Amino acid sequence: MRIVVQRVSEASVTIDGSVHGAIKNGLLILLGVTHEDAQEDIDWLVGKTAGMRIFSDANGQMNLSVQDLDAEVLVISQFTLFANTKKGNRPSYIEAARPEVAVPLYDAFINTLSRKLNKEIVTGIFGADMKVQLINDGPVTIVLDSKSK
């Protein structure tokens, strides 16, 4: 499982011309699922994400987490995080899990993160054509892969 975590001052996802979800200060998480992912991958990524100190404290130092600030979170499914670009110019997505595998893991990630942060997580819709807008704060962008722990 691979995620891109972006600290944002705002982010939203639009589906079929309507805003489906929006947040202010918090995290935008792009989530990619591969074939061999399991709950242990989710647990590790959720723990890292919830505790990652990437928000500024009163002294301007990155010492606070999304959990410390009770900040908002938007999670978007993104199979392209597992693009393989070794051959040719057209990426292969064979490493991305098919929906029958990915959807339950995507839902489990959201539910686990929601329980960890004790708050509702704003999401897109798995497989939808989504338009994501964000203002990256910092910018702070971090890539985490559960297979690289």
Side-chain angles (χ1 to χ4, degrees):
M1 192 169 281
R2 191 172 290 157
I3 62 174
V4 175
V5 178
Q6 295 179 299
R7 186 179 75 184
V8 297
S9 54
E10 62 183 67
S12 65
V13 58
T14 300
I15 302 170
D16 294 329
S18 297
V19 175
H20 181 76
I23 64 169
K24 291 295 182 189
N25 294 316
L27 297 177
L28 168 63
I29 299 173
L30 306 175
L31 170 68
V33 178
T34 192
H35 309 289
E36 62 271 354
D37 289 333
Q39 186 64 43
E40 67 185 33
D41 297 288
I42 292 167
D43 293 340
W44 185 79
L45 286 171
V46 164
K48 275 294 207 191
T49 302
M52 197 175 341
R53 299 183 327 172
I54 59 173
F55 291 91
S56 298
D57 63 15
N59 297 319
Q61 299 296 310
M62 285 199 267
N63 280 324
L64 301 174
S65 69
V66 68
Q67 198 167 26
D68 294 332
L69 295 175
D70 194 30
E72 297 179 289
V73 179
L74 171 61
V75 176
I76 303 292
S77 62
Q78 183 137 11
F79 73 94
T80 60
L81 290 178
F82 280 100
N84 183 328
T85 59
K86 286 183 183 177
K87 294 170 74 176
N89 292 321
R90 183 182 209 164
S92 167
Y93 302 107
I94 196 146
E95 294 303 316
R98 304 273 313 145
E100 56 271 15
V101 171
V103 170
L105 291 168
Y106 168 77
D107 290 340
F109 178 87
I110 292 163
N111 291 333
T112 304
L113 185 59
S114 177
R115 282 192 306 275
K116 178 79 172 173
L117 297 178
N118 195 32
K119 69 180 329 135
E120 183 178 339
I121 304 299
V122 179
T123 67
I125 297 176
F126 189 95
D129 181 11
M130 296 178 276
K131 309 301 180 207
V132 179
Q133 293 185 329
L134 69 130
I135 297 176
N136 194 325
D137 182 16
V140 175
T141 301
I142 298 171
V143 178
L144 295 171
D145 191 317
S146 62
K147 303 306 186 227
S148 299
K149 54 186 164 198

